[in-house]
Amino acid sequence: MSFVVKLPTVEDTQEFGRRLAGLLRAGDLVLLTGPLGAGKTALTQGVGAGLHVLGDVTSPTFVIARVHRPDPARGGRVALVHADAYRLGAASDPRAEIDDLDLDASVDESVTVVEWGEGLVEQLVDAHLRVRIDRRDDDTRIVELDPVGGDWARRLAELS
Ligand SMILES: Nc1ncnc2c1ncn2[C@@H]1O[C@H](COP(=O)(O)OP(=O)(O)OP(=O)(O)O)[C@@H](O)[C@H]1O
Ligand SMILES: [Mg+2]
């Protein structure tokens, strides 16, 4: 069973990320899919806001993974690791490049959100949440959440 939501504006997408953050805990992996400009980073900004982490969540030009530490002063308790594997698409061995990021070293104690990571990062943990964002002609986004293993299906039910 998947969960589908319509998000008319970028603010709605960020707000949805904030709601999603309420379900997230250390050890979680969220895989974001969807075309260029779909809103993957916008959604991650909302997740970062909801987790009360430090530093702006952006689409870095050179950095492929960034760690946002929690801000305890605002109630942050878990770090957000935001990775964007888009540029690895051109690498001869993208999986080796992913290994070099050492995401497995941080995955247990962080929330890990990965853009363009399909086929590359699923093996980091035994369950993950897949989030597919699609863009309609009127600029609204349709977001589909698919629980893959673990207790994700039960946790998603808390969103509705
Ligand atoms: N409903 C919406 N939800 C999200 N973004 C929207 C929406 N409407 C317009 N936008 C715009 O679309 C763009 C989404 O960009 P964003 O960087 O989040 O996409 P992305 O999926 O991360 O792209 P990339 O694959 O290049 O990393 C932003 O400029 C945002 O303002
Ligand atoms: Mg992005």
Side-chain angles (χ1 to χ4, degrees), residues 7-10 13 35-42 84 115-116 139 141:
L7 302 167
T9 70
V10 65
T13 298
L36 281 170
K40 301 179 290 298
T41 299
D84 183 339
E115 303 185 35
W116 299 101
D139 246 13
R141 275 28 176 203

Side-chain angles (χ1 to χ4, degrees), residues 30-46:
V30 178
L31 205 64
L32 299 179
T33 72
L36 281 170
K40 301 179 290 298
T41 299
L43 190 106
T44 310
Q45 286 164 347

Side-chain angles (χ1 to χ4, degrees), residues 5 8 14 18-19 24 29 42 45 48 52 65 67 89 109 114 121 138 144 151:
V5 63
Q14 289 165 338
R18 208 170 286 141
R19 268 178 69 202
L24 300 176
L29 173 66
Q45 286 164 347
H52 304 296
V67 181
E109 72 267 22
V114 186
V121 298
D138 63 0
E144 186 172 343
D151 60 355

Side-chain angles (χ1 to χ4, degrees), residues 16-88:
F16 183 72
R18 208 170 286 141
R19 268 178 69 202
L20 187 60
L23 298 184
L24 300 176
R25 58 181 185 231
D28 283 346
L29 173 66
V30 178
L31 205 64
L32 299 179
T33 72
L36 281 170
K40 301 179 290 298
T41 299
L43 190 106
T44 310
Q45 286 164 347
V47 170
L51 292 177
H52 304 296
V53 297
L54 296 162
D56 290 339
V57 173
T58 58
S59 327
T61 311
F62 299 110
V63 185
I64 288 174
R66 190 175 271 162
V67 181
H68 295 271
R69 304 205 176 285
D71 181 0
R74 288 184 297 134
R77 288 184 298 123
V78 63
L80 169 65
V81 174
H82 175 214
D84 183 339
Y86 181 71
R87 280 166 304 282
L88 297 186

